[in-house]
């Protein structure tokens, strides 16, 4: 039979102290590992320096964050459209032969400007008839006044007086018709014009020229087409499910792909009342507020109709670069000793880590992971050049801050 001896109290105390020490050391090691891991995930601010020539050649653009409505929007497609009243086909009312063409395609012309000159026998005949009619009216007017006096004296017959009156009225009607025809051809009735001038009915750009020297003109065939792009608007195709959220007065934002991504804004002024063709879309019409010179009729657009009011800080997509699975922007360091009127000799940029959110069109929501100066200048174009320059410097012994 085995005998059991009691363990001394001192041994128990030592054993408990040893266990506590081991647990404490493990906790310290775990905390150290956590701090080390946090240190490894902390963004290291890196700097890029460019001289004035490098800055100019890189095409760098600077800007700031702006408030954009990015998440309460309806995405739609559409195209630019020109109202009928802002386009014109130019033709003549009488046949003729083109002798001179005074404009080129794409040229801007003003209303009333001469576009071409034609020779027309019918135009000459029309002027002749107008001159004869004007002269006949003067003669018939005198005869009418004479017959009127005779009729008051009961010298002539009522039939003779009425015949004179009728002849005068018929000639006046013919005169008015001839005068109107000449006015439609923009001809002054007080001048003897031998050639027919073809005039621009509106101001705008020459879109097409359908004639050449020697071409035969006719009333049915347009000689020129003129368009006035200043009144372009958007026709946006909205699906039936989104229609309840659409209201007149809502803001619309779109940009021109491959045309410097300029943001263009508009406002809805009309909502269609029927489906477009066989699609389940309704045409929503929007005015374009900041007309862009690159806009032409028929351009396809992706647009956002702002259905809510929440505004988010955002930057253009070109402002962001990715490295090591994270996203960054470059911020220009302000030189307090630099004279604002003087062009800097060197530009210093800090790469700042950011967190991005929702993206729409050319803008992305942004949150900075460290504080930056108020109104700091952020690189909105040319960020990848700075990133490449940074990588090059690091390979050649660049420095971190």
């Amino acid at each position: 039979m085995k005998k059991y001896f009691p363990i001394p109290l001192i041994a128990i105390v030592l054993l408990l102290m040893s266990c506590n020490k081991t647990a404490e050391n493990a906790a310290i090691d775990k905390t150290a590992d956590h701090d080390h891991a946090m240190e490894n995930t902390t963004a290291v601010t890196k700097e890029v320096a460019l001289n004035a020539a490098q800055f100019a050649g890189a095409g760098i653009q600077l800007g700031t964050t702006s408030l954009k409505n990015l998440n309460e929007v309806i995405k739609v497609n559409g195209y630019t459209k020109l109202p009928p009243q802002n386009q014109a086909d130019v033709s003549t009312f009488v046949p003729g032969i083109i002798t001179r063409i005074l404009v080129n395609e794409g040229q801007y012309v003003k209303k009333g400007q001469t576009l071409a000159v034609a020779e027309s026998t019918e135009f000459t005949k029309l002027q002749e008839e107008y001159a004869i009619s004007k002269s006949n009216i003067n003669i018939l007017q005198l005869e009418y006044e004479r017959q009127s006096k005779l009729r008051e004296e009961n010298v002539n017959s009522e039939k003779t007086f009425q015949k004179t009156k009728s002849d005068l009225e018929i000639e006046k009607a013919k005169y008015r018709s001839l005068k109107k025809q000449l006015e439609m051809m923009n001809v002054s009735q007080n001048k003897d014009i031998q050639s027919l001038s073809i005039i621009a009915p509106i101001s705008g750009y020459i879109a097409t020229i359908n004639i050449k020297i020697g071409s035969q003109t006719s009333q049915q065939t347009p000689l020129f087409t003129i368009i006035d792009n200043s009144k372009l608007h958007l026709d946006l195709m909205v699906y039936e499910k989104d229609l309840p959220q659409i209201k007149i007065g809502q803001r619309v934002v779109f940009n021109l792909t491959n045309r410097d991504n300029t943001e263009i804004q508009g406002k809805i002024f009309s909502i269609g009342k029927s489906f477009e063709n066989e699609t389940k879309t309704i045409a929503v019409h929007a005015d374009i507020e900041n007309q862009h010179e690159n806009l032409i009729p028929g351009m396809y657009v992706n647009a956002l109709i702002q259905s809510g009011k929440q505004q988010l800080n955002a930057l253009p997509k070109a402002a962001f670069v990715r490295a090591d699975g994270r996203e960054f922007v470059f911020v220009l360091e302000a030189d307090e000793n630099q004279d604002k009127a003087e062009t800097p000799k060197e530009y210093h940029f800090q790469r700042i880590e950011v967190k991005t959110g929702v993206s729409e069109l050319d803008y992305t929501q942004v949150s900075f992971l460290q504080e930056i100066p108020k109104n700091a200048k952020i690189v909105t174009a040319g960020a990848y050049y700075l990133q490449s320059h940074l990588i090059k410097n690091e390979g050649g012994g660049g420095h971190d801050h």
Side-chain angles (χ1 to χ4, degrees):
M1 183 176 180
K2 295 181 181 180
K3 294 183 179 180
Y4 296 93
F5 297 95
I7 299 173
L9 180 60
I10 186 65
I12 295 173
V13 172
L14 290 174
L15 179 61
L16 290 175
M17 290 179 63
S18 175
C19 292
N20 289 338
K21 187 68 175 179
T22 302
E24 182 179 337
N25 290 338
I28 292 173
D29 291 342
K30 186 175 181 180
T31 303
D33 291 341
H34 179 266
D35 291 343
H36 182 67
M38 289 297 291
E39 182 179 337
N40 288 338
T41 58
T42 302
V44 177
T45 303
K46 299 185 177 184
E47 182 181 293
V48 181
L50 299 181
N51 59 37
Q54 289 173 320
F55 179 83
I60 292 174
Q61 296 179 17
L62 301 174
T64 58
T65 60
S66 54
L67 291 174
K68 300 291 179 182
N69 190 327
L70 300 179
N71 60 349
E72 294 184 87
V73 295
I74 300 171
K75 299 179 184 179
V76 294
N77 299 322
Y79 55 92
T80 55
K81 187 175 181 180
L82 192 62
Q85 57 268 35
N86 292 99
Q87 45 190 320
D89 287 332
V90 184
S91 58
T92 60
F93 295 96
V94 293
I97 303 295
I98 297 295
T99 57
R100 295 173 63 196
I101 300 174
L102 306 177
V103 294
N104 297 308
E105 286 190 358
Q107 180 178 336
Y108 181 82
V109 296
K110 294 182 178 181
K111 180 179 180 179
Q113 182 175 334
T114 301
L115 308 179
V117 176
E119 295 294 337
S120 172
T121 54
E122 290 202 20
F123 172 64
T124 304
K125 182 180 177 181
L126 185 64
Q127 285 187 303
E128 179 184 353
E129 290 178 353
Y130 171 79
I132 292 172
S133 180
K134 187 176 182 180
S135 177
N136 287 341
I137 286 178
N138 292 333
I139 295 172
L140 290 171
Q141 182 68 38
L142 292 174
E143 178 63 18
Y144 170 77
E145 292 173 358
R146 190 177 74 85
Q147 291 294 337
S148 180
K149 289 181 179 180
L150 292 175
R151 186 63 196 136
E152 289 176 359
E153 297 172 0
N154 204 22
V155 174
N156 62 349
S157 65
E158 180 69 20
K159 181 179 179 180
T160 302
F161 170 73
Q162 292 297 333
K163 176 67 167 59
T164 303
K165 182 179 179 181
S166 176
D167 290 343
L168 177 61
E169 290 176 350
I170 291 172
E171 195 62 40
K172 283 183 176 181
K174 181 181 179 181
Y175 172 80
R176 287 193 297 268
S177 174
L178 293 169
K179 181 180 179 181
K180 185 65 176 179
Q181 291 179 60
L182 290 174
E183 286 177 349
M184 292 173 69
M185 288 182 279
N186 297 284
V187 175
S188 172
Q189 293 81 31
N190 297 324
K191 295 182 180 179
D192 183 18
I193 301 174
Q194 301 300 320
S195 299
L196 173 62
S197 295
I198 299 165
I199 304 300
I202 63 171
S203 297
Y205 293 91
I206 301 294
T208 59
I209 299 177
N210 303 316
I211 55 173
K212 55 187 177 182
I213 301 299
S215 292
Q216 180 81 31
T217 67
S218 69
Q219 189 173 352
Q220 292 75 28
T221 305
L223 310 180
F224 302 88
T225 300
I226 302 175
I227 57 174
D228 175 13
N229 288 342
S230 65
K231 300 300 181 181
L232 276 175
H233 69 260
L234 295 179
D235 270 13
L236 304 173
M237 301 298 107
V238 177
Y239 285 102
E240 183 180 5
K241 65 180 180 63
D242 295 323
L243 194 59
Q245 302 177 60
I246 305 299
K247 297 178 177 62
I248 292 176
Q250 285 176 327
R251 310 294 301 176
V252 175
V253 178
F254 71 101
N255 59 20
L256 301 177
T257 306
N258 298 326
R259 291 176 183 262
D260 72 18
N261 286 321
T262 301
E263 183 181 284
I264 302 176
Q265 299 186 7
K267 182 185 291 186
I268 294 175
F269 69 86
S270 177
I271 300 173
K273 302 302 180 185
S274 61
F275 289 115
E276 289 291 308
N277 301 324
E278 297 179 357
T279 67
K280 282 293 183 180
T281 60
I282 295 91
V284 173
H285 309 285
D287 282 323
I288 300 174
E289 295 184 345
N290 50 331
Q291 289 283 348
H292 197 277
E293 61 181 6
N294 286 331
L295 285 177
I296 58 176
M299 293 183 69
Y300 182 83
V301 299
N302 294 313
L304 302 177
I305 299 175
Q306 299 181 356
S307 58
K309 296 181 179 180
Q310 184 177 0
Q311 301 284 303
L312 303 173
N313 277 319
L315 284 170
K317 291 181 181 178
F320 301 94
V321 295
R322 290 187 63 85
D324 303 323
R326 293 179 288 179
E327 292 179 296
F328 302 89
V329 298
F330 287 92
V331 178
L332 179 66
E333 292 182 352
D335 186 353
E336 297 180 357
N337 298 322
Q338 174 73 42
D339 186 352
K340 292 183 179 180
E342 183 181 350
T343 302
K345 296 180 180 179
E346 195 170 54
Y347 297 81
H348 292 263
F349 299 91
Q350 283 191 349
R351 194 182 73 173
I352 306 296
E353 186 175 1
V354 296
K355 181 181 179 181
T356 59
V358 61
S359 294
E360 296 293 356
L361 292 182
D362 193 46
Y363 283 85
T364 299
Q365 180 188 0
V366 63
S367 300
F368 294 90
L369 299 187
Q370 67 185 77
E371 188 176 354
I372 65 172
K374 187 178 180 180
N375 299 324
K377 297 297 183 181
I378 302 168
V379 175
T380 57
Y384 274 98
Y385 175 87
L386 293 176
Q387 177 68 6
S388 300
H389 201 75
L390 177 62
I391 294 172
K392 181 180 177 181
N393 286 345
E394 287 180 337
H399 58 279
D400 294 346
H401 295 279

